[in-house]
Amino acid sequence: MGDCEPSALVQRDGGPCCVIAPVQAYLLKILLAESPAHSFNELTADKCKTLLIQAVCQILVKCKTDAYRIVTLEGEGHEQAGPSGDPTAVRQDDGTEHKPSEEPVGPGVDTHDAAMVRPSTVQRTAGSSTTASWTAEAFHERIRFREHAHIDQVHQFYAQNYHVLTDECGVLLLLYTVLQTKGLEHILSEMSDPTESLIHDTYGCGSQALINLMLTGRAVPHVWDNEQDVGGMKLKGINQQSDIGFITVMEQLQYCTVGFFYKNPKNPVWVMGSDTHLTVLFSHERRLVSPETPGELARRVFRQFDPDGSNFIPGPVLQDVLCALELLMRSRLDPENLGIILLNAFMSEFFPDEKKSTPDTFDLLHYNGIPNSNYGSMVQYSRGQAVLLESDVRMCNPSDPMLTCLQTKWPTIEVNWAGNRTPSLN
C-alpha cells in the first residue's frame, strides 16, 4: 500500500469529522471538476494547498452574513504573515520575519495534512517548559479576530498563513471562523431549539445542525426538504438543492428522512453518516446529479403534503398541491420574473429532447479520514464499481452498513469494491 492520498485530510482523533468531512467534500468537488481520476495521485503539495484553501473559502461564502471573520491564534509559536507578501515568510511576536524551519515538527503535530506539507511547529510554553496540551483558558486567551469584506482577501490570508489551517488547532480555528462568519444570532435563529448544543458534551461529535451549516451555510437541524409541520411546529430542513449531498445509514433505521435536495446535489459528492462518524462518497459520473425532472419535482411537492409517507393525500388537498407545483414551475420557466413563458423554455422543461437518467453502472470512490479505518492504516480513496439491478427487490444486509447507506439513495445498488474490501463508515 502506498502513501496517503495527497488530497486527503487525515483525522487523528474522533469528533472533528463534522468539520473535516465537509471540507474534504468541497475539496473533492473542486478536484472532480478539474482533474481526471488517474491524476489524483500526481497532485503536488502546492496544488493540494490551493485545493484546501479553495474548499474552505467555498464553505465560508455560504456562511457569510455581513463579513468574513477569520479566527487565529496569536502568541508564542503562532505567527502573522510578514508584510513582504512572501507566502512562506511569517512575522513573529517580536516583529522579525523568518521562513519556517525545516526541522522536524513538534510532538503532537500531525505530519500528514491535506497537502502533505509540513505544518508550522506548535510550541506551547509555560515559562521554560513545553506543555503537553492546551487548556481552554490558554487557547481562548490567544484568540484573535480579523475581518475581511471579500473572499479574495480570505484566500490571500490563508495562502500567506497556511499554518492557521494545518497547525494542531486548525480544525477548531476553522470551526470558530465558520461560526463567527455566520454570526451566532443567525445560527440560533435557524435552529429549532436554541438550547441544543452544536457539539455533543460527552462524545464531542457535531450535531446535524452543525453538519448542515458546514455543507449548506444554514444551521437547520433537519435533513428533509423545506419545512415540515410536526404537531403545529415548523421544523426547518434543507431549502434548496445543495452543492454537496448527504445520505445516512440512520435513514434506513428510520431515525430520519433525507430529502431530495440532499440526495440529489449539484455535484456527485455526498457526505455519508453512520451512527458515529462522517465519511465522503464521490464519483466521476456527472449523470448521477442531472437536474430535477418535472416528474421528480411533482413527486417532491406531493410528498410535502404527505408527511407520513403513506403515498396518498386527501382529495381536498389536491388543489394545494397543484398551486404549490404551479408556483415552482413558474419560477423555473420564468426565473427572471418577466411575466412571460418562452416556448423554448416550456418545451425543454416538459418535452426534453434527451431523457436524462442515472446510468446502470458507474464508479464510486469513498474517503474515510481515520487511518485505522483504512487498509494498511493509510488514508486512501477506496474504489468500487456500482451496478443498479433491474429488480425492485432490495437486498438487505444489516451487517453491511455501507450497502445499507447506499440503498437509501439507490435502492437496488450493488458495489464491487477493489480488493473485495468494503470500506468502513466508522
Side-chain angles (χ1 to χ4, degrees), residues 5-18:
E5 296 277 353
S7 58
L9 297 163
V10 178
Q11 179 178 336
R12 289 181 300 166
D13 303 301
C17 58
C18 60

Side-chain angles (χ1 to χ4, degrees), residues 7 14 54-55 64 103 107 132 136 176 178 189 199 252 281 328 333 336 340 354 370 374 385 402 420 423:
S7 58
Q54 288 176 327
K64 181 190 177 188
E103 295 299 316
Y176 277 37
V178 167
S189 69
I199 297 177
Q252 192 80 304
L281 180 80
L328 286 172
L333 295 172
E336 298 180 5
I340 58 174
E354 295 182 6
I370 298 178
N374 288 262
Q385 190 65 27
M402 170 62 73
N420 292 320

Side-chain angles (χ1 to χ4, degrees), residues 384-403:
Q385 190 65 27
V387 179
L388 299 184
L389 305 178
E390 294 184 3
S391 171
D392 290 334
V393 179
R394 181 179 301 186
M395 303 296 292
C396 295
N397 185 356
S399 65
D400 188 347
M402 170 62 73
L403 182 62

Side-chain angles (χ1 to χ4, degrees), residues 74-114:
E74 301 291 354
E76 211 164 319
H78 289 267
E79 306 86 11
Q80 301 177 17
S84 64
D86 185 341
T88 63
V90 293
R91 178 181 289 275
Q92 293 281 39
D93 290 342
D94 60 6
T96 61
E97 287 188 30
H98 80 296
K99 296 217 175 185
S101 170
E102 291 300 321
E103 295 299 316
V105 297
V109 178
D110 188 4
T111 58
H112 291 289
D113 58 43

Side-chain angles (χ1 to χ4, degrees), residues 31-228:
L31 187 56
L32 286 171
E34 295 181 354
S35 304
H38 62 78
S39 67
F40 277 22
N41 290 328
E42 302 168 5
L43 296 169
T44 65
D46 283 343
K47 177 60 178 177
C48 291
K49 172 182 174 179
T50 299
L51 286 169
L52 178 58
I53 295 172
Q54 288 176 327
V56 167
C57 286
Q58 289 195 10
I59 291 173
L60 293 178
V61 165
K62 291 186 175 296
C63 295
K64 181 190 177 188
T65 300
D66 51 21
Y68 298 102
R69 295 184 176 88
I70 309 304
V71 181
T72 62
L73 286 177
E74 301 291 354
E76 211 164 319
H78 289 267
E79 306 86 11
Q80 301 177 17
S84 64
D86 185 341
T88 63
V90 293
R91 178 181 289 275
Q92 293 281 39
D93 290 342
D94 60 6
T96 61
E97 287 188 30
H98 80 296
K99 296 217 175 185
S101 170
E102 291 300 321
E103 295 299 316
V105 297
V109 178
D110 188 4
T111 58
H112 291 289
D113 58 43
M116 304 301 289
V117 173
R118 189 184 308 276
S120 302
T121 302
V122 177
Q123 298 285 343
R124 298 179 298 276
T125 59
S128 60
S129 62
T130 301
T131 57
S133 62
W134 286 101
T135 64
E137 292 76 12
F139 178 81
H140 288 99
E141 281 176 0
R142 293 184 177 175
I143 278 184
R144 299 293 183 271
F145 300 84
R146 57 180 74 221
E147 288 194 2
H148 297 288
H150 304 290
I151 196 62
D152 291 346
Q153 297 170 318
V154 176
H155 191 287
Q156 182 181 14
F157 169 79
Y158 281 128
Q160 295 178 347
N161 299 271
Y162 190 53
H163 64 279
V164 172
L165 294 174
T166 59
D167 272 352
E168 189 176 35
C169 297
V171 172
L172 190 55
L173 291 176
L174 177 56
L175 173 59
Y176 277 37
T177 295
V178 167
L179 298 180
Q180 288 295 323
T181 297
K182 175 71 176 182
L184 298 184
E185 289 185 2
H186 291 92
I187 291 173
L188 293 174
S189 69
E190 291 173 350
M191 298 172 62
S192 296
D193 182 4
T195 64
E196 180 186 354
S197 175
L198 288 174
I199 297 177
H200 196 283
D201 293 342
T202 302
Y203 302 107
C205 55
S207 69
Q208 189 64 54
L210 179 55
I211 297 169
N212 291 344
L213 176 63
M214 294 294 300
L215 291 178
T216 71
R218 298 175 69 242
V220 295
H222 302 288
V223 293
W224 52 55
D225 293 335
N226 299 310
E227 293 183 349
Q228 287 199 16

Side-chain angles (χ1 to χ4, degrees), residues 219-276:
V220 295
H222 302 288
V223 293
W224 52 55
D225 293 335
N226 299 310
E227 293 183 349
Q228 287 199 16
D229 189 321
V230 179
M233 294 180 59
K234 294 289 186 180
L235 302 183
K236 300 175 183 177
I238 309 304
N239 68 343
Q240 61 183 341
Q241 190 180 27
S242 177
D243 279 343
I244 304 295
F246 179 81
I247 55 178
T248 173
V249 71
M250 305 306 287
E251 181 173 24
Q252 192 80 304
L253 301 175
Q254 299 184 340
Y255 283 100
C256 65
T257 300
V258 182
F260 178 92
F261 291 147
Y262 252 165
K263 285 185 179 175
N264 300 274
K266 297 177 182 178
N267 303 277
V269 184
W270 294 262
V271 169
M272 302 183 76
S274 72
D275 54 344
T276 60

